[in-house]
Structure formats: C-alpha cells, structure tokens
Amino acid sequence: MDISIVIPFLNEEESLKELNDWIVNVMQSNRFLYEIIYVDDGSSDNSWNIIEDIVKDNKNVKGIQFRRNYGKSAALNTAFEQAEGNVVITMDADLQDSPDEIPALYKMIIEDGHDLVSGWKKKRHDPINKRWPSKVYNSMNRLITGIKLHDMNCGLKAYRKDVIKTIEVYGEMHRFVPVIAKWAGFRKIGEKVVQHSKRKFGKSKFGMDRYRKGILDLISIIFVSRFGKRPMHLFGTLGFFLFFIGFGIAGYLAYAKFFLMEYKMTERPLFYFGLLCMIVGSQLFLTGFIAEMISRSSYDRNVYHISKKIGITN
Ligand code: UDP
Ligand code: MG
C-alpha cells in the first residue's frame, strides 16, 4: 500500500463528507493504493455516523472510535499502530489542510528520501491572536530543539512508515512529533509550504491554553529525552555543585569563627545561604538517586530500535 491517511477528529460532522470526497478524488486521480483511517476522539455529535456511512461505500476507509475524548496524540498513536502504507500522512479534519498537498508530500518521502515532512502554513488563515503567539512559540522551539521547522505543530505531515512504527505519541506530544522522531534517530526532516484555509465550520478545539501546555511539554520532552535514562547526571551534577558551595561557605564560616574570632555566625546572611545550599544540594542528590531507581525498573530501560542488521541470521 502506498499511502495511509490518518485523520483524528472531534466533533467535525460538517466537514467529514466533503473532506473524504476530496481525499478520495486526489487518491484516484494519482492512482495511489491507499487507506484512510479516521479516529473519532470522543465526538458527541453526528460525526461517527457519517464515518460509518463512508466506510460502507468505500473499503479503503477505516474508522476507530474512542469511548471518550483522549486527545489528538492518543488518536494519532492508535492510527499509527494500524497504518499499513509506506507513507503515512496526518491531517486535520476541519478542511483547513488541503488534500491536494498529498502527492507532493508523498514524493518528498519516496523520491527525496525524507523521513518526515512537516507542513508549513506560511500564509495562515487564523485569527491574529493565534498567529503571533505561534510565531514566538515556534522560534523558541527551533532554538531549544535545534530542528529548523517554521511550523512544528502543523496538522499536515508526512512520515516514512518506519518513523511512525518506531515512535510513540503520548500525552499531548502531538505538537512535538518531529522532536520525538529526531531523537529516535530520524534525521532527514523536511518542510513544505502548504495551503491553509479558514476553518469552515465550528471552532478550534484547542484554546489559548495550548501555549502554556506546549511550553511545559517542551520542557518535559527535553528533560526526558536528555536525562530520562540517566537522571543522576542532571540531579547529581546540580546537587553536588550546590552542596559544594554550601560546604565551602560553612568551612569559611567555621574558619572565621575559630581563627578570626568572629562571633554571631548565625546572624550572617551567608550562614543561611550556605545552609540552604547544602540542604537543597543533598535533596537534589537524593532526587537523582530515586529517579535513577525508577528508570532502572521502567519497562523501556532497554528499548532501542535497530534499523538494519548484517551478517546476523537469527
Ligand atoms: N482534535 C482531536 N481531539 C481533540 C482536539 C482536536 O482529534 O481533543 C482534532 C480536530 O477535530 C481537528 C484537529 O484535531 O481535526 C485539529 O484541531 P483544531 O482544528 O481544533 O486545531 P487548530 O486548527 O486550532 O490548531
Ligand atoms: Mg484547525
């Protein structure tokens, strides 16, 4: 199979039929062997019935329904487990992304050898209160992750099959799939300017809160990927450093007391600072120990992905 198209949706009853017809049209005119996987992320409107009707008429269409709303990441992850196409394309269900982009995205993966291609909504049709924060947010992302994408959170993306079978998208990490892919060792990450339209029906399912969550998720993803498997390297270093400062201060104060005959040490601000450093330092150290023990017993302590083997028969 050439292409799997993955579409997570939450209450998008007005768009689904039109979107599906459009995709099928593009697939047929390019003669792709394809499947479309819809994931209903707990819709309370008529969306699922529409999917059932579509599936009845077209055997290339598949549907998965969540019992409740689990979020876009969970929806993507489930569909990724199912997908069989050599290229997997994700898109939003609200008709903001154009299916006409699919053939070019496909080509960038198959012919140009990209592992992942992210859409870039260069000319964006969203309200200004969404565009500006998004710009700031994306430049911060570029700076921290080192991935040169203008629009990390674009719903329209294409992946080589390997990528989606290797990575896991959990929590609200759908915003950072390129980061997850990069850390899994997929380095050829590209970008394509894509058409973007106004939302035709309904309203955005994510509020302004997305930026607060996004920043926190970015911090945790950085932390987990760098230090998740060796937490002591972070906590131990910090803890040791702080403790050392505190110990130095205590040493100096003791010296001042006994040799310089300074008294009333406990009235000096430095005393409290030294004390604080030692306490916080040892706590960081202990945190490192505990984190180390947790990561030792975690199920993925030894998960790695092999891309090729040679000369090995079993
Ligand atoms: N969506 C989803 N689960 C959620 C929220 C959103 O599956 O909990 C879907 C939504 O139906 C749409 C896509 O994710 O297909 C992008 O959502 P939306 O268009 O609201 O986001 P925006 O365009 O504002 O980034
Ligand atoms: Mg949208």
Side-chain angles (χ1 to χ4, degrees):
M1 187 180 299
D2 302 324
I3 300 187
S4 298
I5 296 167
V6 168
I7 303 176
F9 65 88
L10 173 63
N11 299 332
E12 308 280 5
E13 57 183 1
E14 299 100 330
S15 337
L16 288 171
K17 187 84 187 68
E18 185 179 338
L19 178 72
N20 191 70
D21 290 344
W22 190 356
I23 296 175
V24 170
N25 202 337
V26 172
M27 292 297 114
Q28 286 175 348
S29 54
N30 287 276
R31 295 177 193 287
F32 283 130
L33 292 175
Y34 72 99
E35 65 177 350
I36 309 177
I37 305 175
Y38 289 97
V39 186
D40 180 351
D41 186 13
S43 298
S44 50
D45 65 358
N46 201 29
S47 300
W48 180 251
N49 296 331
I50 295 170
I51 296 301
E52 282 184 341
D53 287 343
I54 295 176
V55 171
K56 262 182 225 143
D57 310 334
N58 186 339
K59 63 174 178 23
N60 297 319
V61 180
K62 295 153 194 187
I64 300 171
Q65 184 188 39
F66 280 165
R67 197 171 293 282
R68 67 166 174 85
N69 177 250
Y70 283 99
K72 197 176 174 183
S73 296
L76 290 177
N77 203 59
T78 322
F80 285 169
E81 283 168 8
Q82 297 291 323
E84 289 170 31
N86 296 328
V87 172
V88 177
I89 309 241
T90 59
M91 46 192 306
D92 290 353
D94 54 1
L95 292 166
Q96 290 196 274
D97 301 326
S98 158
D100 292 332
E101 304 286 352
I102 294 174
L105 287 171
Y106 178 80
K107 213 174 133 229
M108 284 178 79
I109 301 277
I110 294 296
E111 287 176 23
D112 308 344
H114 285 93
D115 292 317
L116 187 169
V117 180
S118 177
W120 173 13
K121 305 175 290 250
K122 195 168 184 184
K123 197 158 180 335
R124 199 168 164 179
H125 298 274
D126 277 323
I128 185 123
N129 68 2
K130 199 159 144 188
R131 285 195 324 251
W132 274 101
S134 168
K135 275 205 171 131
V136 175
Y137 181 65
N138 269 302
S139 41
M140 208 173 75
N141 268 342
R142 277 199 296 277
L143 206 72
I144 298 179
T145 64
I147 300 176
K148 302 282 171 257
L149 291 180
H150 291 88
D151 192 3
M152 175 88 73
N153 189 18
C154 184
L156 181 56
K157 287 192 172 64
Y159 305 89
R160 180 184 300 286
K161 188 181 188 178
D162 255 7
V163 179
I164 56 121
K165 294 294 181 193
T166 305
I167 63 172
E168 193 182 344
V169 193
Y170 67 96
E172 292 199 21
M173 294 303 181
H174 59 267
R175 300 193 180 89
F176 301 106
V177 183
V179 184
I180 302 175
K182 187 183 164 192
W183 270 311
F186 297 100
R187 275 179 292 251
K188 197 145 189 244
I189 296 176
E191 184 167 56
K192 179 181 185 304
V193 175
V194 294
Q195 293 285 333
H196 186 243
S197 331
K198 262 213 180 69
R199 207 179 218 286
K200 227 168 146 180
F201 309 101
K203 60 178 195 328
S204 172
K205 307 295 185 290
F206 299 101
M208 286 306 278
D209 210 24
R210 69 169 82 199
Y211 297 107
R212 183 181 63 86
K213 291 183 181 164
I215 288 168
L216 292 176
D217 282 344
L218 179 63
I219 295 172
S220 39
I221 199 171
I222 297 270
F223 172 76
V224 170
S225 62
R226 290 232 179 116
F227 299 106
K229 298 235 166 100
R230 45 186 186 96
M232 198 56 176
H233 288 190
L234 176 68
F235 292 113
T237 313
L238 285 175
F240 183 80
F241 190 66
L242 269 187
F243 191 87
F244 189 75
I245 292 177
F247 199 75
I249 290 173
Y252 162 73
L253 289 176
Y255 168 79
K257 179 165 175 129
F258 293 118
F259 293 97
L260 309 178
M261 300 306 161
E262 277 183 40
Y263 293 102
K264 296 190 174 168
M265 285 319 177
T266 54
E267 279 171 26
R268 294 185 64 173
L270 195 61
F271 171 78
Y272 291 98
F273 183 67
L275 205 60
L276 186 74
C277 285
M278 284 199 285
I279 293 174
V280 173
S282 45
Q283 292 207 323
L284 280 171
F285 216 86
L286 286 176
T287 309
F289 254 129
I290 294 173
E292 199 69 39
M293 283 162 54
I294 293 174
S295 83
R296 236 159 116 67
S297 53
S298 83
Y299 81 96
D300 67 345
R301 65 174 177 270
N302 235 345
V303 172
Y304 34 69
H305 300 281
I306 295 168
S307 49
K308 277 178 194 144
K309 275 186 181 175
I310 188 163
I312 292 172
T313 42
N314 61 345

